[in-house]
Coordinates of all heavy atoms in Angstrom, one line a residue:
M388 N 50.3 -41.6 220.7 CA 51.4 -41.6 219.7 C 50.9 -42.4 218.5 O 50.4 -43.5 218.6 CB 52.7 -42.3 220.3 CG 53.8 -42.3 219.3 SD 55.3 -43.0 220.0 CE 56.3 -41.6 219.9
A389 N 51.0 -41.9 217.3 CA 50.5 -42.5 216.1 C 51.4 -43.7 215.7 O 52.6 -43.7 215.9 CB 50.5 -41.5 214.9
Q390 N 50.8 -44.8 215.3 CA 51.5 -46.0 214.9 C 52.0 -45.8 213.5 O 51.4 -45.3 212.6 CB 50.6 -47.2 214.9 CG 51.1 -48.3 215.7 CD 50.2 -49.5 215.7 OE1 49.0 -49.4 215.2 NE2 50.6 -50.6 216.2
R391 N 53.3 -46.2 213.3 CA 53.9 -46.1 212.0 C 53.7 -47.3 211.2 O 53.8 -48.4 211.7 CB 55.4 -45.9 212.2 CG 56.1 -45.4 211.0 CD 57.6 -45.1 211.4 NE 58.2 -44.6 210.2 CZ 59.5 -44.4 210.2 NH1 60.3 -44.7 211.2 NH2 60.1 -44.0 209.1
T392 N 53.2 -47.2 210.0 CA 53.0 -48.3 209.1 C 54.0 -48.3 208.0 O 54.4 -47.3 207.5 CB 51.6 -48.3 208.5 OG1 51.4 -47.1 207.7 CG2 50.5 -48.4 209.6
T393 N 54.4 -49.5 207.6 CA 55.4 -49.6 206.5 C 54.8 -50.5 205.5 O 54.0 -51.4 205.8 CB 56.7 -50.2 207.0 OG1 56.5 -51.5 207.6 CG2 57.4 -49.3 208.0
K394 N 55.1 -50.3 204.2 CA 54.7 -51.2 203.1 C 55.5 -52.5 203.2 O 56.7 -52.5 203.2 CB 54.9 -50.4 201.8 CG 54.4 -51.1 200.6 CD 54.6 -50.3 199.4 CE 54.2 -51.0 198.2 NZ 54.4 -50.3 196.9
P395 N 54.8 -53.6 203.1 CA 55.5 -54.9 203.2 C 56.2 -55.1 201.9 O 55.8 -54.7 200.8 CB 54.4 -55.9 203.3 CG 53.1 -55.3 202.9 CD 53.3 -53.8 203.1
A396 N 57.4 -55.8 202.0 CA 58.1 -56.1 200.8 C 57.3 -57.1 199.9 O 56.5 -57.8 200.4 CB 59.4 -56.8 201.2
M397 N 57.5 -57.1 198.6 CA 56.8 -58.0 197.7 C 56.9 -59.4 198.1 O 56.0 -60.2 198.1 CB 57.2 -57.8 196.3 CG 56.6 -56.6 195.6 SD 57.0 -56.5 193.9 CE 58.5 -55.5 194.0
S398 N 58.2 -59.9 198.5 CA 58.4 -61.2 198.9 C 57.6 -61.6 200.2 O 57.2 -62.7 200.3 CB 59.9 -61.5 199.0 OG 60.4 -60.7 200.1
E399 N 57.4 -60.6 201.0 CA 56.6 -60.9 202.2 C 55.2 -61.2 201.9 O 54.6 -62.2 202.5 CB 56.6 -59.6 203.1 CG 55.9 -59.8 204.5 CD 56.0 -58.6 205.4 OE1 57.0 -57.9 205.3 OE2 55.1 -58.4 206.1
S400 N 54.6 -60.5 200.9 CA 53.2 -60.8 200.6 C 53.1 -62.2 199.9 O 52.1 -62.9 200.0 CB 52.6 -59.7 199.7 OG 53.3 -59.7 198.5
I401 N 54.2 -62.6 199.2 CA 54.2 -63.9 198.6 C 54.3 -65.0 199.6 O 53.7 -66.0 199.5 CB 55.3 -64.0 197.6 CG1 55.1 -63.0 196.4 CG2 55.5 -65.4 197.0 CD1 56.2 -62.8 195.5
R402 N 55.1 -64.8 200.7 CA 55.2 -65.8 201.7 C 54.0 -66.0 202.6 O 53.9 -67.0 203.2 CB 56.4 -65.4 202.6 CG 57.8 -65.8 202.0 CD 58.9 -65.6 202.9 NE 59.3 -64.2 202.8 CZ 59.7 -63.4 203.8 NH1 59.7 -63.9 205.1 NH2 60.0 -62.2 203.7
F403 N 53.1 -65.0 202.6 CA 52.0 -65.1 203.5 C 50.7 -65.0 202.7 O 50.0 -64.0 202.7 CB 52.0 -64.1 204.6 CG 53.2 -64.1 205.4 CD1 54.3 -63.2 205.2 CD2 53.4 -65.1 206.4 CE1 55.4 -63.3 206.0 CE2 54.5 -65.1 207.2 CZ 55.5 -64.2 207.0
P404 N 50.3 -66.1 202.0 CA 49.2 -66.0 201.1 C 47.8 -65.9 201.8 O 46.9 -65.4 201.2 CB 49.2 -67.4 200.3 CG 50.0 -68.3 201.2 CD 51.0 -67.4 202.0
S405 N 47.7 -66.2 203.1 CA 46.4 -66.0 203.8 C 46.1 -64.6 204.1 O 45.0 -64.2 204.3 CB 46.5 -66.8 205.1 OG 47.4 -66.3 205.9
R406 N 47.1 -63.7 204.0 CA 46.9 -62.3 204.3 C 46.3 -61.7 203.0 O 46.8 -61.9 201.9 CB 48.2 -61.6 204.6 CG 48.1 -60.2 204.9 CD 49.4 -59.6 205.4 NE 49.3 -58.2 205.3 CZ 50.3 -57.5 204.9 NH1 51.5 -58.0 204.6 NH2 50.2 -56.2 204.8
K407 N 45.2 -60.9 203.2 CA 44.5 -60.3 202.0 C 44.9 -58.8 201.9 O 45.0 -58.2 202.9 CB 43.0 -60.5 202.1 CG 42.5 -61.9 202.4 CD 42.6 -62.7 201.1 CE 41.9 -64.0 201.4 NZ 42.4 -65.1 200.7
V408 N 45.0 -58.4 200.7 CA 45.2 -56.9 200.4 C 44.1 -56.5 199.4 O 43.6 -57.3 198.7 CB 46.6 -56.6 199.9 CG1 47.7 -56.9 200.9 CG2 46.9 -57.4 198.6
R409 N 43.8 -55.2 199.5 CA 42.8 -54.7 198.6 C 43.4 -54.4 197.2 O 44.5 -53.9 197.1 CB 42.2 -53.4 199.2 CG 41.1 -52.8 198.4 CD 40.6 -51.5 199.1 NE 39.5 -51.0 198.4 CZ 38.2 -51.2 198.7 NH1 38.0 -51.8 199.8 NH2 37.3 -50.6 198.0
A410 N 42.6 -54.7 196.2 CA 43.0 -54.4 194.8 C 41.8 -53.8 194.1 O 40.7 -54.3 194.2 CB 43.5 -55.7 194.1
T411 N 42.1 -52.8 193.2 CA 41.1 -52.2 192.4 C 41.3 -52.7 191.0 O 42.4 -52.5 190.4 CB 41.2 -50.7 192.5 OG1 41.0 -50.3 193.9 CG2 40.1 -50.1 191.7
L412 N 40.2 -53.3 190.4 CA 40.3 -53.8 189.1 C 39.1 -53.3 188.3 O 38.0 -53.1 188.9 CB 40.2 -55.3 189.1 CG 41.3 -56.1 189.8 CD1 40.9 -57.5 190.0 CD2 42.6 -55.9 189.2
Y413 N 39.2 -53.1 187.1 CA 38.1 -52.6 186.2 C 37.7 -53.8 185.4 O 38.5 -54.4 184.6 CB 38.5 -51.4 185.4 CG 38.7 -50.2 186.2 CD1 40.0 -49.9 186.7 CD2 37.7 -49.4 186.6 CE1 40.2 -48.8 187.5 CE2 37.9 -48.3 187.4 CZ 39.2 -48.0 187.8 OH 39.4 -46.9 188.7
L414 N 36.4 -54.2 185.4 CA 35.9 -55.4 184.7 C 34.7 -54.9 183.9 O 34.0 -54.0 184.3 CB 35.5 -56.4 185.7 CG 36.6 -57.0 186.6 CD1 35.9 -57.9 187.7 CD2 37.6 -57.8 185.8
P415 N 34.4 -55.7 182.9 CA 33.1 -55.4 182.1 C 31.9 -55.6 183.1 O 31.9 -56.6 183.9 CB 33.1 -56.4 181.0 CG 34.5 -56.9 180.9 CD 35.1 -56.7 182.2
P416 N 31.0 -54.7 183.1 CA 29.8 -54.8 184.0 C 29.1 -56.2 184.0 O 28.7 -56.7 185.0 CB 28.9 -53.7 183.6 CG 29.6 -52.8 182.7 CD 30.8 -53.6 182.2
E417 N 29.0 -56.8 182.8 CA 28.2 -58.0 182.7 C 29.0 -59.2 183.3 O 28.5 -60.1 183.9 CB 27.9 -58.4 181.2 CG 29.0 -58.6 180.3 CD 29.7 -57.3 179.7 OE1 29.2 -56.2 180.0 OE2 30.7 -57.5 179.0
L418 N 30.4 -59.1 183.3 CA 31.2 -60.1 183.9 C 31.1 -60.0 185.4 O 30.9 -61.0 186.2 CB 32.6 -60.0 183.5 CG 33.7 -61.0 184.1 CD1 33.3 -62.4 183.8 CD2 35.1 -60.7 183.6
L419 N 31.2 -58.8 185.9 CA 31.1 -58.6 187.4 C 29.7 -59.0 187.9 O 29.6 -59.6 188.9 CB 31.4 -57.1 187.7 CG 31.4 -56.8 189.2 CD1 32.3 -57.7 190.0 CD2 31.7 -55.3 189.4
N420 N 28.7 -58.6 187.2 CA 27.3 -59.0 187.6 C 27.1 -60.5 187.6 O 26.5 -61.1 188.5 CB 26.3 -58.4 186.7 CG 26.1 -56.9 187.0 OD1 26.2 -56.5 188.2 ND2 25.7 -56.1 186.0
E421 N 27.7 -61.2 186.6 CA 27.6 -62.7 186.6 C 28.4 -63.3 187.8 O 27.9 -64.2 188.4 CB 28.1 -63.2 185.3 CG 27.9 -64.7 185.1 CD 28.3 -65.2 183.7 OE1 28.7 -64.4 182.9 OE2 28.2 -66.4 183.5
A422 N 29.5 -62.7 188.1 CA 30.3 -63.2 189.2 C 29.6 -63.0 190.5 O 29.5 -63.8 191.4 CB 31.7 -62.6 189.2
R423 N 29.0 -61.8 190.7 CA 28.2 -61.5 191.9 C 27.0 -62.4 192.0 O 26.7 -62.9 193.1 CB 27.7 -60.0 191.8 CG 28.8 -59.0 192.1 CD 28.4 -57.6 192.0 NE 29.4 -56.7 192.5 CZ 29.4 -55.4 192.2 NH1 28.5 -54.9 191.3 NH2 30.4 -54.6 192.6
D424 N 26.3 -62.7 190.9 CA 25.2 -63.6 191.0 C 25.6 -65.0 191.4 O 25.0 -65.6 192.3 CB 24.5 -63.7 189.6 CG 23.8 -62.5 189.2 OD1 23.5 -61.6 190.0 OD2 23.5 -62.4 188.0
A425 N 26.7 -65.5 190.9 CA 27.2 -66.8 191.3 C 27.6 -66.8 192.7 O 27.3 -67.8 193.5 CB 28.4 -67.2 190.4
A426 N 28.3 -65.8 193.2 CA 28.7 -65.7 194.6 C 27.5 -65.7 195.5 O 27.4 -66.4 196.6 CB 29.6 -64.5 194.9
Y427 N 26.5 -65.0 195.1 CA 25.3 -64.9 195.9 C 24.6 -66.2 196.0 O 24.2 -66.7 197.1 CB 24.3 -63.9 195.3 CG 23.0 -63.8 195.9 CD1 22.7 -63.0 197.0 CD2 21.9 -64.5 195.4 CE1 21.5 -62.9 197.6 CE2 20.6 -64.4 196.0 CZ 20.4 -63.6 197.1 OH 19.2 -63.5 197.7
H428 N 24.4 -66.9 194.9 CA 23.7 -68.2 194.9 C 24.5 -69.4 195.4 O 23.9 -70.4 195.8 CB 23.2 -68.5 193.5 CG 22.1 -67.6 193.1 ND1 20.8 -67.8 193.5 CD2 22.0 -66.6 192.2 CE1 20.0 -66.8 193.0 NE2 20.8 -66.1 192.2
L429 N 25.8 -69.2 195.5 CA 26.7 -70.3 196.1 C 27.2 -69.9 197.5 O 28.2 -70.6 197.9 CB 27.8 -70.5 195.1 CG 27.4 -71.0 193.7 CD1 28.6 -71.1 192.8 CD2 26.7 -72.4 193.8
A430 N 26.6 -68.9 198.1 CA 27.2 -68.4 199.4 C 27.0 -69.5 200.5 O 27.9 -69.5 201.4 CB 26.5 -67.1 199.8
G431 N 26.0 -70.3 200.4 CA 25.8 -71.3 201.5 C 26.5 -72.6 201.3 O 27.4 -72.7 200.4
H432 N 26.1 -73.6 202.0 CA 26.7 -74.9 202.0 C 26.3 -75.5 200.6 O 25.3 -75.3 200.1 CB 26.1 -75.8 203.1 CG 26.6 -77.1 203.1 ND1 27.9 -77.4 203.6 CD2 26.1 -78.3 202.7 CE1 28.1 -78.7 203.5 NE2 27.0 -79.3 203.0
P433 N 27.2 -76.2 199.9 CA 28.5 -76.6 200.3 C 29.7 -75.7 199.9 O 30.8 -75.8 200.3 CB 28.7 -78.0 199.7 CG 28.0 -77.8 198.4 CD 26.8 -76.9 198.7
A434 N 29.4 -74.7 198.9 CA 30.5 -74.0 198.3 C 31.0 -72.8 199.2 O 32.2 -72.5 199.2 CB 30.0 -73.4 197.0
H435 N 30.1 -72.2 200.0 CA 30.5 -71.0 200.8 C 31.3 -70.0 200.0 O 32.3 -69.5 200.4 CB 31.3 -71.5 202.1 CG 30.6 -72.5 202.9 ND1 29.5 -72.1 203.7 CD2 30.8 -73.8 203.1 CE1 29.0 -73.2 204.3 NE2 29.8 -74.2 204.0
M436 N 30.8 -69.7 198.8 CA 31.5 -68.9 197.9 C 31.3 -67.4 198.2 O 30.3 -67.0 198.7 CB 30.9 -69.1 196.5 CG 31.6 -68.4 195.3 SD 33.4 -68.8 195.2 CE 33.2 -70.6 194.7
T437 N 32.4 -66.7 198.0 CA 32.4 -65.2 198.1 C 33.0 -64.7 196.8 O 33.6 -65.4 196.1 CB 33.2 -64.7 199.3 OG1 34.6 -65.0 199.1 CG2 32.7 -65.3 200.7
L438 N 32.8 -63.4 196.6 CA 33.4 -62.8 195.4 C 34.9 -62.9 195.5 O 35.5 -63.2 194.5 CB 32.9 -61.4 195.2 CG 33.0 -60.7 193.9 CD1 32.4 -61.5 192.8 CD2 32.5 -59.3 193.9
T439 N 35.4 -62.7 196.6 CA 36.9 -62.7 196.8 C 37.4 -64.2 196.5 O 38.4 -64.4 195.8 CB 37.3 -62.3 198.3 OG1 36.9 -61.0 198.4 CG2 38.7 -62.6 198.5
K440 N 36.7 -65.2 197.1 CA 37.1 -66.6 196.9 C 37.0 -66.9 195.4 O 37.9 -67.6 194.8 CB 36.2 -67.5 197.7 CG 36.6 -68.9 197.7 CD 35.6 -69.7 198.7 CE 35.9 -71.2 198.7 NZ 35.0 -71.8 199.6
L441 N 35.9 -66.5 194.7 CA 35.8 -66.7 193.3 C 37.0 -66.1 192.5 O 37.6 -66.8 191.6 CB 34.5 -66.2 192.8 CG 34.1 -66.3 191.3 CD1 34.1 -67.8 190.9 CD2 32.8 -65.7 191.0
A442 N 37.2 -64.9 192.8 CA 38.3 -64.2 192.1 C 39.7 -64.8 192.4 O 40.5 -65.0 191.4 CB 38.4 -62.7 192.5
E443 N 39.9 -65.2 193.6 CA 41.2 -65.8 194.0 C 41.4 -67.2 193.3 O 42.5 -67.4 192.7 CB 41.3 -66.0 195.5 CG 42.6 -66.6 196.0 CD 42.7 -66.7 197.5 OE1 41.9 -66.1 198.2 OE2 43.6 -67.4 197.9
Q444 N 40.4 -68.0 193.2 CA 40.5 -69.2 192.5 C 40.7 -69.0 191.0 O 41.5 -69.8 190.4 CB 39.2 -70.1 192.8 CG 39.1 -70.6 194.2 CD 37.8 -71.3 194.4 OE1 36.8 -71.3 193.6 NE2 37.6 -71.9 195.6
A445 N 40.0 -68.1 190.4 CA 40.2 -67.8 189.0 C 41.6 -67.3 188.7 O 42.2 -67.7 187.7 CB 39.1 -66.8 188.5
F446 N 42.1 -66.4 189.6 CA 43.5 -65.9 189.4 C 44.5 -67.1 189.5 O 45.4 -67.2 188.6 CB 43.8 -64.9 190.5 CG 43.6 -63.5 190.1 CD1 42.3 -63.0 189.8 CD2 44.6 -62.5 190.0 CE1 42.0 -61.7 189.5 CE2 44.4 -61.2 189.7 CZ 43.1 -60.8 189.4
R447 N 44.3 -67.9 190.4 CA 45.3 -69.1 190.6 C 45.2 -70.0 189.4 O 46.3 -70.4 188.9 CB 44.9 -69.8 191.9 CG 45.3 -69.1 193.2 CD 45.1 -69.9 194.4 NE 45.2 -69.1 195.6 CZ 46.4 -68.7 196.1 NH1 47.5 -69.1 195.6 NH2 46.4 -68.0 197.2
R448 N 44.0 -70.3 188.9 CA 43.9 -71.2 187.8 C 44.6 -70.6 186.5 O 45.3 -71.2 185.8 CB 42.5 -71.6 187.5 CG 42.0 -72.8 188.3 CD 40.6 -73.3 187.8 NE 39.6 -72.2 187.7 CZ 38.8 -72.0 188.7 NH1 38.9 -72.6 189.9 NH2 37.9 -71.0 188.6
E449 N 44.3 -69.3 186.3 CA 44.8 -68.6 185.1 C 46.3 -68.4 185.2 O 47.1 -68.6 184.2 CB 44.1 -67.3 184.9 CG 44.6 -66.5 183.7 CD 44.4 -67.2 182.4 OE1 43.7 -68.3 182.3 OE2 44.8 -66.7 181.3
L450 N 46.9 -68.1 186.4 CA 48.3 -68.0 186.6 C 49.0 -69.4 186.3 O 50.1 -69.4 185.7 CB 48.6 -67.5 188.0 CG 48.4 -66.0 188.2 CD1 48.5 -65.7 189.6 CD2 49.4 -65.2 187.4
E451 N 48.4 -70.5 186.7 CA 49.0 -71.8 186.5 C 49.0 -72.0 185.0 O 50.0 -72.5 184.4 CB 48.2 -72.9 187.2 CG 48.6 -73.0 188.6 CD 50.1 -73.3 188.8 OE1 50.7 -74.1 188.1 OE2 50.7 -72.6 189.7
R452 N 48.0 -71.7 184.3 CA 47.9 -71.8 182.8 C 48.9 -71.0 182.1 O 49.6 -71.5 181.2 CB 46.5 -71.5 182.3 CG 46.3 -71.8 180.8 CD 44.9 -71.2 180.4 NE 44.9 -69.8 180.2 CZ 45.4 -69.2 179.1 NH1 45.9 -69.9 178.1 NH2 45.4 -67.9 179.0
L453 N 49.1 -69.8 182.6 CA 50.1 -68.8 181.9 C 51.5 -69.3 182.2 O 52.4 -69.2 181.3 CB 49.9 -67.4 182.5 CG 48.6 -66.8 182.0 CD1 48.4 -65.4 182.8 CD2 48.5 -66.5 180.5
K454 N 51.8 -69.8 183.4 CA 53.1 -70.4 183.7 C 53.4 -71.5 182.8 O 54.5 -71.6 182.3 CB 53.2 -70.8 185.2 CG 53.3 -69.6 186.1 CD 53.6 -70.1 187.6 CE 52.4 -70.1 188.4 NZ 52.7 -70.4 189.8
Q455 N 52.5 -72.4 182.6 CA 52.7 -73.6 181.7 C 52.9 -73.1 180.3 O 53.8 -73.6 179.6 CB 51.5 -74.5 181.8 CG 51.3 -75.2 183.1 CD 52.5 -76.1 183.6 OE1 53.1 -76.7 182.8 NE2 52.8 -76.0 184.8
L456 N 52.1 -72.2 179.8 CA 52.2 -71.8 178.5 C 53.4 -70.9 178.1 O 54.0 -71.1 177.1 CB 50.9 -71.0 178.2 CG 50.6 -70.6 176.7 CD1 50.5 -71.8 175.8 CD2 49.4 -69.7 176.6
Y457 N 53.8 -70.0 179.1 CA 54.8 -69.1 178.7 C 56.1 -69.1 179.6 O 57.1 -68.5 179.2 CB 54.3 -67.6 178.9 CG 53.2 -67.3 178.0 CD1 51.9 -67.2 178.4 CD2 53.4 -67.1 176.6 CE1 50.8 -66.9 177.5 CE2 52.4 -66.8 175.7 CZ 51.1 -66.7 176.2 OH 50.1 -66.4 175.3
N458 N 56.1 -70.0 180.6 CA 57.3 -69.9 181.5 C 57.7 -71.3 182.0 O 58.2 -71.5 183.1 CB 57.1 -69.0 182.7 CG 58.3 -68.4 183.2 OD1 59.2 -68.0 182.4 ND2 58.5 -68.3 184.5
G459 N 57.5 -72.3 181.2 CA 57.9 -73.7 181.5 C 57.4 -74.2 182.8 O 58.0 -75.0 183.5
G460 N 56.2 -73.7 183.2 CA 55.6 -74.2 184.5 C 56.2 -73.5 185.7 O 55.7 -73.8 186.8
Q461 N 57.1 -72.7 185.5 CA 57.8 -72.0 186.7 C 57.1 -70.7 187.0 O 56.5 -70.1 186.2 CB 59.3 -71.7 186.4 CG 60.1 -73.0 186.0 CD 60.1 -73.9 187.2 OE1 60.4 -73.6 188.3 NE2 59.8 -75.2 186.9
D462 N 57.3 -70.2 188.3 CA 56.8 -68.9 188.7 C 57.5 -67.9 187.8 O 58.6 -68.0 187.4 CB 57.1 -68.6 190.2 CG 56.3 -69.5 191.1 OD1 55.3 -70.1 190.7 OD2 56.6 -69.5 192.3
F463 N 56.8 -66.8 187.5 CA 57.4 -65.7 186.8 C 58.3 -65.0 187.8 O 58.1 -65.0 189.0 CB 56.3 -64.7 186.4 CG 55.5 -65.2 185.2 CD1 54.2 -65.8 185.4 CD2 56.0 -65.2 183.9 CE1 53.5 -66.3 184.4 CE2 55.2 -65.8 182.9 CZ 54.0 -66.3 183.1
P464 N 59.4 -64.4 187.3 CA 60.4 -63.7 188.2 C 59.6 -62.5 188.9 O 58.7 -61.9 188.3 CB 61.4 -63.1 187.2 CG 61.3 -63.9 185.9 CD 59.8 -64.4 185.9
E465 N 60.1 -62.2 190.1 CA 59.5 -61.1 190.8 C 59.8 -59.8 190.1 O 60.9 -59.6 189.7 CB 60.1 -61.1 192.2 CG 59.4 -60.1 193.2 CD 59.9 -60.3 194.6 OE1 60.2 -61.4 195.0 OE2 60.0 -59.3 195.3
R466 N 58.8 -59.0 190.0 CA 59.0 -57.7 189.3 C 59.8 -56.7 190.2 O 59.8 -56.9 191.4 CB 57.6 -57.1 189.0 CG 56.8 -56.7 190.2 CD 55.4 -56.3 189.9 NE 54.7 -55.7 191.0 CZ 54.2 -56.4 192.0 NH1 54.4 -57.8 192.0 NH2 53.7 -55.9 193.1
K467 N 60.5 -55.8 189.5 CA 61.4 -54.9 190.2 C 60.7 -53.6 190.6 O 61.2 -52.8 191.3 CB 62.6 -54.6 189.3 CG 63.3 -55.8 188.8 CD 64.5 -56.1 189.7 CE 65.4 -57.2 189.1 NZ 65.0 -58.5 189.5
E468 N 59.5 -53.4 190.0 CA 58.8 -52.1 190.3 C 57.3 -52.4 190.2 O 56.9 -53.4 189.6 CB 59.2 -51.0 189.3 CG 59.0 -51.3 187.9 CD 59.6 -50.3 187.0 OE1 60.8 -50.1 187.0 OE2 58.8 -49.7 186.2
D469 N 56.5 -51.5 190.6 CA 55.0 -51.6 190.5 C 54.6 -51.5 189.1 O 55.3 -50.9 188.2 CB 54.3 -50.5 191.3 CG 54.4 -50.8 192.8 OD1 54.6 -51.9 193.2 OD2 54.2 -49.8 193.6
L470 N 53.4 -52.1 188.8 CA 52.9 -52.0 187.5 C 52.5 -50.5 187.2 O 52.1 -49.8 188.1 CB 51.6 -52.9 187.4 CG 51.8 -54.4 187.5 CD1 50.5 -55.1 187.5 CD2 52.7 -54.9 186.4
K471 N 52.6 -50.2 186.0 CA 52.1 -48.8 185.6 C 50.8 -48.9 184.9 O 50.5 -49.9 184.2 CB 53.1 -48.2 184.5 CG 54.5 -48.0 185.1 CD 55.5 -47.5 184.1 CE 56.8 -47.2 184.7 NZ 57.5 -48.2 185.4
G472 N 49.9 -47.9 185.1 CA 48.6 -47.9 184.5 C 48.7 -47.6 183.0 O 49.7 -47.1 182.6
G473 N 47.6 -47.7 182.4 CA 47.6 -47.4 180.9 C 47.7 -48.6 180.1 O 47.4 -49.7 180.4
R474 N 48.2 -48.4 178.8 CA 48.3 -49.5 177.9 C 49.3 -50.5 178.3 O 50.3 -50.2 179.0 CB 48.7 -48.9 176.5 CG 47.7 -48.0 175.9 CD 48.2 -47.5 174.6 NE 47.3 -46.5 174.0 CZ 46.5 -46.8 173.0 NH1 46.5 -48.0 172.5 NH2 45.7 -45.9 172.5
P475 N 49.0 -51.8 177.9 CA 50.0 -52.9 178.2 C 51.4 -52.6 177.7 O 51.5 -52.0 176.6 CB 49.4 -54.1 177.6 CG 48.0 -53.8 177.4 CD 47.9 -52.3 177.2
I476 N 52.4 -53.1 178.3 CA 53.8 -53.0 177.9 C 54.0 -53.9 176.6 O 53.6 -55.0 176.6 CB 54.7 -53.5 179.0 CG1 54.6 -52.5 180.2 CG2 56.2 -53.4 178.5 CD1 55.3 -53.1 181.4
A477 N 54.5 -53.3 175.6 CA 54.8 -54.1 174.4 C 56.1 -54.9 174.6 O 57.0 -54.4 175.1 CB 54.9 -53.1 173.2
A478 N 56.0 -56.1 174.1 CA 57.2 -57.0 174.3 C 58.1 -56.9 173.1 O 57.8 -56.6 172.0 CB 56.7 -58.4 174.5

């Protein structure tokens, strides 16, 4: 019998930060190559760096900066729908 899978609620993914999900991002090739070089050279002791760890740390730092700058240091409200591809939403 096939196992049924369900998509986790957004709040569920927020509550369990150790769980990883796959994300597809498009980056300038030179930025990605530099990040890969850094992860490669820092893979061993003491940093034990991976590309995922580098990206996660960068996202966390940038999100904290954006919260301070644009949202009084508070978390942004949970979105009501998935992001749409294409041009950024105009405010």
Side-chain angles (χ1 to χ4, degrees):
M388 180 178 245
Q390 236 182 348
R391 194 173 184 192
T392 59
T393 58
K394 184 177 176 183
M397 280 187 267
S398 60
E399 184 178 327
S400 63
I401 293 168
R402 279 187 274 142
F403 301 104
S405 63
R406 185 172 159 218
K407 306 283 189 215
V408 295
R409 185 181 183 99
T411 302
L412 304 169
Y413 293 92
L414 300 170
E417 64 278 0
L418 177 62
L419 181 57
N420 283 330
E421 188 174 355
R423 285 177 171 160
D424 290 344
Y427 175 85
H428 287 286
L429 298 172
H432 183 74
H435 302 288
M436 186 61 64
T437 64
L438 197 56
T439 296
K440 187 175 176 182
L441 177 63
E443 185 175 345
Q444 289 174 354
F446 268 63
R447 290 185 188 282
R448 276 193 303 271
E449 181 62 5
L450 285 168
E451 280 305 312
R452 188 187 75 81
L453 292 171
K454 285 190 261 187
Q455 294 299 322
L456 189 61
Y457 295 109
N458 209 41
Q461 301 299 310
D462 288 347
F463 289 100
E465 189 172 324
R466 66 189 188 286
K467 305 267 190 271
E468 59 188 61
D469 284 340
L470 295 174
K471 293 177 177 56
R474 293 179 183 258
I476 299 170

